[in-house]
Amino acid sequence: MAAKEGEMTKRIVITGSTRGIGNGLAREFLKRRCQVAVSGRSADQVEEVVAELGQYYGESKVCGAACDVTDPEQLQGLWDRTAEAFGGVDVWINNAGIGIGRQPLWEQHDGDLAALVNTNLTGALLASKTAISNMVRQGHGQVWNTEGFGSDGATQPGMAAYGATKRAVRYLQEALRKDTADTPVQVCTVSPGIVVTDLLTGDYDLTSEQWEKSKKIFNILGDHVHTVTPWLADHILAADKSGTRVVWLTRRKALARFMTASFRKRDLFTPKS
């Protein structure tokens, strides 16, 4: 859906947008004539993506900055870079996140657990703080946090740590809505569902029986980035009030897919020739 003639476009920051869902969203927003700031931990990757997107959508439409979301100074640097390029930030999407191997908690490495919590939870806290504090001074803006498995309280073996970080994000959103009630800042939530990315497959041993079982479910409920992100982008741009939740894989949609799975075969993991 392209922007209508004369319609005000939005200036959007997306953390973790050099690949995966974040990158897909960046492309969709640019198609809709928005200005987009790309970010990721690797300066080289950010530079490469900004150059590519600038070639297709116009250099004035894209900027970027390397940003580790666990570092407050780098988060402020991302805001400053975007404000310098576009004059401000209308929408800030906390998309950056990492996974962890699906194992019982006691078998997971301490360093991996610390990195998971630092990125998925501490990163969401610090990035939300950065965005909201700047938006309050600016006089407007929306902050979006990204839900994932565990946000709704669902549990699975091997998902204790990851699910706990995403359950915490749900609480964070509800609390931030109350904190920002008397401010010009809106707090919203995006739930992409099950999307085939490195984050999804990276949690598994792809030679294991566990993966074969999980893959059957993913082929029923999952989708590719290019399927999900156009719909997400349209609904994010249409949101105009705090508390908005943009949810791709609703319970009704999941139920319908299970009911039709026997005669609607899907294979999301075999590359098409």
Side-chain angles (χ1 to χ4, degrees), residues 153-209:
T155 59
Q156 283 185 7
M159 295 290 287
Y162 181 87
T165 64
K166 288 302 181 179
R167 184 63 168 165
V169 168
R170 173 72 67 89
Y171 176 88
L172 171 63
Q173 288 297 89
E174 294 173 357
L176 285 178
R177 282 182 58 198
K178 294 186 177 182
D179 283 350
T180 56
D182 297 323
T183 76
V185 180
Q186 298 176 359
V187 174
C188 306
T189 305
V190 58
S191 180
I194 299 172
V195 185
V196 179
T197 64
D198 293 342
L199 180 63
L200 179 70
T201 58
D203 293 346
Y204 289 89
D205 173 358
L206 300 184
T207 64
S208 67
E209 182 179 350

Side-chain angles (χ1 to χ4, degrees), residues 145-160:
N145 274 303
T146 306
E147 292 191 333
F149 180 83
S151 292
D152 61 355
T155 59
Q156 283 185 7
M159 295 290 287

Side-chain angles (χ1 to χ4, degrees), residues 14-29:
I14 311 172
T15 67
S17 48
T18 57
R19 59 182 182 175
I21 295 172
N23 187 263
L25 282 172
R27 293 172 188 275
E28 294 302 327
F29 287 130

